Amino acid sequence: MKILKIQTLRGPNYWSIRRHKLVVMRLDLEELADKTTSQIPGFYEGLIAVLPSLNDHHCSPGHKGGFLQRVREGTMMGHVIEHVALELQEMAGMPAGFGRTRETSTPGIYQVVLEYQNEQAGRYAARAGVRLCQSIVSIGTYAPDELLQDLRDLREFAASAALGPSTETLIKEAEARGIPWIPLGARFMIQLGYGVYQKRIQATLSNRTGVLGVELACDKEGTKNILASAGVPVPKGTVIHYLDELQGAIEDVGGYPIVIKPLDGNHGRGITIDINSWAAAEEAYDLASEASKTKSVIIERFYTGRDHRVLVVNGQVVAVAERVPANVVGNGSDTVEQLIEEVNSDPQRGDGHDNVLTRITIDKLSLDLLEKQGFALNSVVPLGKRVFLRATANLSTGGIAVDRTDEIHPENVWLFSRVAKIIGLDIAGIDVVTDDISVPLRDVNGVIVEVNAAPGFRMHVAPSQGLPRNVAGAVFDMLFPSPQPSRVPILAVTGTNGKTTTTRLLAHIVKQTGQTTGYTTTDGTYIGDYLVESGDNTGPQSAQLILSDPTVEVAVLETARGGILRSGLGFDQCDVGVVLNVAADHLGIGDIDTVEQLATLKSVLVESVMPKGYAVLNADDPLVSQMAQRVKAQIAYFSMNPDNELVAKHTAAGGLAAIYENGYLSILKGDWTLRIEQAVNVPLTMGGRAPFMIANALAACLASFAQGVKIEDIRSALSTFQASVGQTPGRMNLFNLGSYHALLDYAHNPHSYKALGSFVQNWPGLRIGVVGAPGDRRDEDFVTLGKLSADMFDRIIVKEDIDRRGREPGVVAKLICQGIAETISEKTGDKSQVEYELILDETIAVNKALDEAPAGSLVVILPEGVNKALSLIEARNPIKESVVSQSFVAASNSPESLKTTVANQG
């Protein structure tokens, strides 16, 4: 078997709207293409020997063991690899249950799709699944050490990508509330929400966390001084920088017992408590100094009592946990070491912060503490005797947490809330030593030991004893107080043709509301009136750029098929989704071979519209209108036919629609009609003579109206938006070159050629075409383009793109010429007079057409790229960019010119 390609999906996609994290592997089964598993000797036996846990997989029979039943009876190898890859992730602690396997149009080549939690792990599991199955086919088994190595590698991928328990808690809360999140790729920051409503977190720091509060909390002595001056009970202590200051510091705090800790430490590192001798103090000083970046050490009076962590969010106490140091309890027969092993066998314990609890480890501090208690590792602990292994109660050193939230005294609640505000932290972890948290601190000689910025949530979310607390909920209530939204409106546009023009017009309409609009198109990414990034930016990365920008109030996103196939959508859901049309283009690429498959791919957009949003569908295109059956959102149709039966039925039921009627672009809702503007007054429609542009305008008007834009703003936008280089580069840009005109357009497939023809064929003079096409289309598509060119033009120059996309020189152009020749031979009369020639160099071809253009003619240029062709036209000093020539309007003033079948090109 051979892996041809592996790609990773991260948003709603062709395979699933709900499951965003998918790996898609294109796999050539090679010699196994014509064999099922039942035809491979020993495969079933070898598979269950290596992975007996596959018996838990249900598969299509719908019961436990159903998958293995399929293997025994005979199934294709791609199907087996799907399940093996999912099971490997399950065994590595990353359960993933969704998978699909489908044969492509090429026999023996399969698409194997599987869910993942960790992207790298998902890709690795796909490759490991192929290795494992190939090994069983070849030698009947898979070496145990190789399987163990696969699982180790998978676990390492998961560990390296882990967000940390506190961040993970916040992410889960975000997902539960439907708040989108984006990793920002710097300093472990996470963006919550989109655009202008976004917030940021870094662990449990938020964008509301003040730097002064963090700096003060990191200065433990400064914190203690500020609190003491505010009348808050804190330990008596001092800071020293040299060992020879230690004796005096001990005397200053009142003698033993004392605590020694680093000035700028965390997670309990470098802390020694209950010190009662000079020798212990010297050793503790060295430990604290080593853990301090500044080599500054705090000497404090040691206060007896239980250790508590109080979590304060936005000035409110939300959780209290008592922290108990790592310990074991004797059973009268096992040694300390054996008891530690038993405690560490708890599945809830892991390394570091990767689980609810942390495994207990033994070091010199542990051994010294054992010795103080009269024990060693090989000592048998009496029944019921508790032996402590750490002096500090941090969870990161193996401690446990007991929830005490419901026990805290009201006065202590008031005090802790006040402390967080004094230090200046929106999220604060306050360490308290007291014998009883249910009694005011002042009554039991309790003290506040530290105030921590970025406190851990693990002890509150998953305490060893007591109720878990939804502390992340309090954080989100602070960051996104009701009714503040977390998302900006997203209006997304897809279709075979017309996407860029419609997206730009839609963005132009939204701008009339005064909101900062970010939008993506095939020629660039824009925010407001400014270009952020040039290029074909219609994929998920460009969408993420817009949604990550803190100035964007509305996002308008052109969404192309390629991005959906490669990565899925760049957002989880949108407010308005527009599908303009579906026609043959890019077929045969990415295993999308039919227009029906292409329609399924493009329907991903409208299937991702939120239920209260709108799916805007072309009622004149059956492939588009049928998408309504899969949509959960509200439906709005647009149509060039005022008598469209689907629209009539929809509006009769109270639905929303837009139609072209009696020369007007109109909105329909129930039994009323709201006329927006006459097409002749809309520059984009070229005097009302470009039906496909009218359809594009209808879609944009309907989408903006559905989003709540006022008719007055829509009308204003229509009157100021033109098919010009400035607003729609490469989309029906008409230039007046004195005695003749030039039209620049990016038509590149049969559907867009037909749409262009509905305008060009009404030109009263000679029609000259400079035509070509991208090389990644099917041969029959190029022949079709040639035939359409012969129907559209009187004179044709066939050129070729510089980027031939894998084609040999001249092949594409010759296929187009073949289509022209076939049409000429089939026609008589005027069409027999069509002239054509082959000039592969685009610059030479364009210049020749412009040089030889007779008076009154129209030269239509379909370029590889807009800028080069535009420079050739501008070098001839056009009089002005025309909306449409008056002679053309006069010559084509018949109603029949608008009865062409609409194909939303642009």
Side-chain angles (χ1 to χ4, degrees), residues 165-166 169-170 173 177 309-311 313 317-322 401-408 456-475:
S166 298
T169 297
L170 290 166
E173 181 67 18
R177 295 185 178 215
R309 165 61 65 84
V310 179
L311 182 65
V313 178
V317 173
V318 298
V320 181
E322 179 186 347
V402 180
D403 179 66
R404 302 291 186 194
T405 305
D406 295 332
E407 301 175 21
I408 186 170
F457 286 176
R458 183 168 57 153
M459 69 189 78
H460 307 297
V461 174
S464 308
Q465 300 173 31
L467 293 175
R469 303 292 173 171
N470 181 19
V471 295
V475 174

Side-chain angles (χ1 to χ4, degrees), residues 605-674:
L605 180 67
V606 286
E607 289 182 66
S608 300
V609 178
M610 60 184 62
K612 292 183 179 180
Y614 273 93
V616 176
L617 304 176
N618 185 348
D620 298 330
D621 187 330
L623 288 171
V624 176
S625 61
Q626 289 169 10
M627 294 178 187
Q629 300 170 15
R630 301 194 292 271
V631 170
K632 296 180 180 179
Q634 302 177 84
I635 304 295
Y637 292 109
F638 67 94
S639 173
M640 287 291 288
N641 177 10
D643 299 319
N644 184 288
E645 293 183 5
L646 179 59
V647 171
K649 183 178 179 180
H650 179 67
T651 55
L656 181 65
I659 60 170
Y660 182 58
E661 51 86 24
N662 296 315
Y664 281 88
L665 285 74
S666 299
I667 298 289
L668 305 182
K669 176 69 173 177
D671 58 358
W672 55 260
T673 299
L674 182 61

Side-chain angles (χ1 to χ4, degrees), residues 350-371:
D351 296 322
H353 292 281
D354 64 359
N355 213 330
V356 174
L357 298 171
T358 301
R359 290 189 180 94
I360 299 172
T361 58
I362 298 299
D363 57 16
K364 186 177 184 303
L365 289 175
S366 304
L367 296 174
D368 290 345
L369 186 59
L370 279 173
E371 186 179 350

Side-chain angles (χ1 to χ4, degrees), residues 734-783:
L734 188 64
F735 299 87
N736 185 343
L737 294 173
S739 62
Y740 66 98
H741 285 73
L743 180 68
L744 186 63
D745 192 81
Y746 190 59
H748 58 281
N749 56 50
H751 193 252
S752 56
Y753 267 51
K754 290 177 182 177
L756 180 64
S758 68
F759 174 81
V760 172
Q761 287 171 333
N762 289 312
W763 192 267
L766 192 72
R767 302 180 297 272
I768 304 167
V770 181
V771 305
D776 56 354
R777 271 58 170 181
R778 302 169 302 176
D779 288 359
E780 57 263 39
D781 294 329
F782 300 126
V783 174

Side-chain angles (χ1 to χ4, degrees), residues 65 360 441 550 569 583 701 789 800 843:
I360 299 172
L441 292 193
L569 294 177
C701 291
S789 297
E800 190 168 70
T843 300

